[in-house]
Amino acid sequence: MSNPIDIVIYHNPDCGTSRNTLAMIRNAGIEPHVIEYLKTPPSRTLLEQLVVRMGISVRELIREKGTPYEELGLGDPSLTDAQLIDAMMEEPILINRPIVVSTLGVKLCRPSEAVLDILPQEQKGAFSKEDGEVVVDASGRRV
């Protein structure tokens, strides 16, 4: 019996990139632990740890489109990381997605095919994004 593969995706089902990422994880034969982060946001400590593990800045994790980013003045370069995280804790929609955690790393999967870099199993077959873009060919290789 093989060891189960533990993958976590911080997911927004209303986001096409997030849906494509989830579908690619499943196309590898893995059923991830799906956390709808708008319903169950990560704690402040966990969010800070995810940023460090992804190797990105706090500012890189903030989503602008479709959020109160402008209204909250989050483009102000004088804001500290702590202030930006405060905003994400108050308004989880500001957390960019999807974030995927695997044994091979943690990644903000934008574009969605970035998830292929951290999946411990190959794709089981062809995969096309919702918009029809082919990402994986019939033999399971990245295009």
Side-chain angles (χ1 to χ4, degrees):
M1 189 173 189
S2 65
N3 291 332
I5 296 173
D6 194 17
I7 302 267
V8 176
I9 180 172
Y10 291 88
H11 177 62
N12 180 348
D14 293 331
C15 171
T17 301
S18 198
R19 288 191 305 269
N20 284 323
T21 302
L22 177 57
M24 277 185 265
I25 295 168
R26 289 177 171 155
N27 195 48
I30 301 166
E31 184 54 42
H33 180 72
V34 178
I35 298 173
E36 289 189 33
Y37 76 96
L38 294 177
K39 294 179 182 176
T40 310
S43 69
R44 179 185 194 93
T45 300
L46 179 56
L47 187 61
E48 290 168 343
Q49 290 171 351
L50 290 169
V51 168
V52 169
R53 291 178 68 194
M54 286 185 283
I56 64 173
S57 70
V58 171
R59 191 164 288 284
E60 288 174 277
L61 186 59
I62 293 185
R63 181 170 178 81
E64 297 179 33
K65 184 179 169 189
T67 72
Y69 178 88
E70 290 293 329
E71 296 84 8
L72 296 173
L74 297 176
D76 180 347
S78 70
L79 293 174
T80 65
D81 286 352
Q83 290 171 311
L84 296 173
I85 289 176
D86 287 343
M88 288 187 270
M89 292 289 88
E90 187 69 31
E91 301 278 351
I93 192 70
L94 289 164
I95 302 171
N96 214 340
R97 75 284 178 155
I99 298 170
V100 177
V101 179
S102 86
T103 56
L104 299 179
V106 180
K107 212 169 196 39
L108 174 60
C109 294
R110 301 194 74 78
S112 55
E113 57 270 23
V115 74
L116 298 173
D117 297 335
I118 62 168
L119 290 180
Q121 290 184 182
E122 298 296 320
Q123 295 287 286
K124 302 295 184 197
F127 182 83
S128 296
K129 292 183 181 183
E130 291 178 358
D131 66 3
E133 179 186 349
V134 177
V135 178
V136 177
D137 67 19
S139 60
R141 286 188 299 265
R142 192 173 187 166
V143 179

